[in-house]
Amino acid sequence: MIAPHQKGRLVVVQNVTEENLQAHVDRFTAQGFTVMRGVFTADEVARMRAASERVVSKVRADPMSFDAPTVPRFTDRTEGALDTWGVDNMFAPRLYEADLGAIFGHERFMEFSHAVLGPNLRFWAAHLLWSPERTSYELGWHKDQHDNEQYDPTGRSLHVQFNVCLTEDTSFRAVPGSHRRPLTDAERAAVTTDSSRPLDGEVRVECEAGDVIYMNHHMVHRGSCEPSRFRRTLHMNVQSMEEQTGGQTSYSYMRELGYLESVDPALAALMRKAIEWDDAHPVDRAEARRRMRISHDLRRSTAGAAGTGK
């Protein structure tokens, strides 16, 4: 459980006791995230770790050879000193690993998303995050998709975002309850300037390998990691077919002949739903331009000392 917040104090979330599924759903609704311990066994983590190492090696070998939507995340883009901390769209054909693609068929892992969203889900995102080799990163406070003013007083969510921790992980920080109210003046200043300075009420979450953080991405949150703190984390998202935002992630590779037949059946089913939703909800030009700006910002950004912080 989270300890009562004291002004100016960072609360560390750890040693969460085992609880039933409904307790986790209630916490997710109330505070914007919950941590389920030991979702994956040591053997399952080992297989996913091995698969993640193959992905990391491919990206680090030649990060500048990748292009959207498979975008490496950088802490340093200096020529001769490229340093990465992750990659977007790890299920693209060049990076796909069967032991990672199989995650959406894992019953215990998926039961939380089904409890929150029901059975009719679509794929939204799948990224791999890791510790940089030389340059630490401190992401600025943000709400994903630049939806800074998005909130629901009831805490209801039509998406579930999750970090699957394959190592010990203390990178995730959040402001519980910020998905249910307008931003405070300090939070608004932080998200608009990409600041990583402490915020009132923030918590840091400590996880072990096999734990999963389920979160609402409308909660104010950020991440950080140093080269000395070895990290491998899967960062993914599914959405209800009822969700009216956040679509248009059925990337061209998903529509290539034979691709969906080559990946895990549970993943393919979610991707087919993403294609179905996107085809039924085309975006107008203004929204397409907004999404393009977000994509360009991501490709240009660095998260290290020379970057913008996100």
Side-chain angles (χ1 to χ4, degrees):
M1 300 290 287
I2 293 180
H5 173 68
Q6 297 178 14
K7 186 175 179 62
R9 177 188 174 196
L10 173 64
V11 179
V12 179
V13 181
Q14 59 188 128
N15 299 326
V16 176
T17 57
E18 190 66 29
E19 296 176 290
N20 63 36
L21 184 60
Q22 187 57 50
H24 284 289
V25 172
D26 292 344
R27 178 175 292 111
F28 174 84
T29 301
Q31 71 177 26
F33 76 95
T34 191
V35 182
M36 294 185 69
R37 305 293 182 180
V39 174
F40 295 95
T41 67
D43 286 345
E44 291 168 337
V45 169
R47 288 196 297 272
M48 289 191 288
R49 269 280 301 277
S52 74
E53 292 308 313
R54 292 191 288 271
V55 175
V56 174
S57 295
K58 288 179 184 178
V59 175
R60 282 179 170 168
D62 191 6
M64 299 307 291
S65 69
F66 290 86
D67 197 5
T70 311
V71 183
R73 301 186 178 197
F74 292 89
T75 59
D76 191 346
R77 284 176 180 260
T78 307
E79 186 175 354
L82 296 175
D83 197 8
T84 59
W85 65 278
V87 68
D88 289 1
N89 285 294
M90 65 180 181
F91 293 147
R94 184 175 175 183
L95 294 178
Y96 180 78
E97 290 284 342
D99 283 324
L100 300 181
I103 193 169
F104 290 105
H106 190 283
E107 183 176 355
R108 188 176 178 210
F109 169 66
M110 289 300 295
E111 68 177 356
F112 179 86
S113 296
H114 288 301
V116 173
L117 304 176
N120 199 13
L121 307 182
R122 71 178 192 259
F123 175 87
W124 190 61
H127 314 315
L128 178 60
L129 311 180
W130 57 78
S131 44
E133 294 181 285
R134 294 175 299 279
T135 304
S136 299
Y137 69 86
E138 288 282 351
L139 298 189
W141 293 105
H142 62 282
K143 294 188 177 188
D144 290 343
Q145 293 301 104
H146 293 198
D147 290 332
N148 294 338
E149 303 302 330
Q150 179 69 36
Y151 68 93
D152 187 324
T154 70
R156 180 173 183 257
S157 180
L158 290 173
H159 71 269
V160 173
Q161 186 158 283
F162 26 83
N163 283 359
V164 179
C165 302
L166 304 181
T167 58
E168 292 183 2
D169 197 320
T170 62
S171 293
F172 183 67
R173 300 178 185 233
V175 181
S178 55
H179 65 305
R180 300 176 58 188
R181 55 166 175 76
L183 294 170
T184 66
D185 290 344
E187 290 165 354
R188 185 169 288 106
V191 300
T192 55
T193 63
D194 211 23
S195 170
S196 59
R197 293 181 178 179
L199 288 176
D200 283 347
E202 73 170 271
V203 300
R204 185 181 74 230
V205 181
E206 294 191 348
C207 291
E208 300 292 333
D211 295 347
V212 180
I213 308 171
Y214 297 93
M215 71 191 79
N216 182 321
H217 71 217
H218 294 140
M219 175 183 58
V220 176
H221 63 281
R222 73 180 190 89
S224 63
C225 191
E226 302 172 354
S228 60
R229 190 175 290 275
F230 186 76
R231 184 193 192 201
R232 298 291 186 268
T233 293
L234 310 181
H235 179 65
M236 301 183 291
N237 190 310
V238 292
Q239 296 184 325
S240 166
M241 289 292 280
E242 297 177 11
E243 172 66 86
Q244 294 302 304
T245 64
Q248 306 307 317
T249 59
S250 58
Y251 298 107
S252 58
Y253 65 82
M254 299 179 189
R255 299 170 184 259
E256 292 175 359
L257 183 65
Y259 171 79
L260 292 177
E261 289 70 33
S262 71
V263 302
D264 185 85
L267 173 60
L270 291 171
M271 288 182 169
R272 288 190 176 95
K273 287 290 189 178
I275 292 170
E276 176 188 333
W277 193 96
D278 287 358
D279 287 350
H281 298 81
V283 298
D284 60 27
R285 290 184 178 180
E287 177 63 11
R289 286 194 296 269
R290 187 186 79 89
R291 291 168 186 255
M292 186 63 71
R293 285 196 299 271
I294 294 173
S295 177
H296 286 171
D297 287 348
L298 176 62
R299 277 179 276 175
R300 288 194 300 264
S301 68
T302 57
T308 63
K310 183 180 178 184

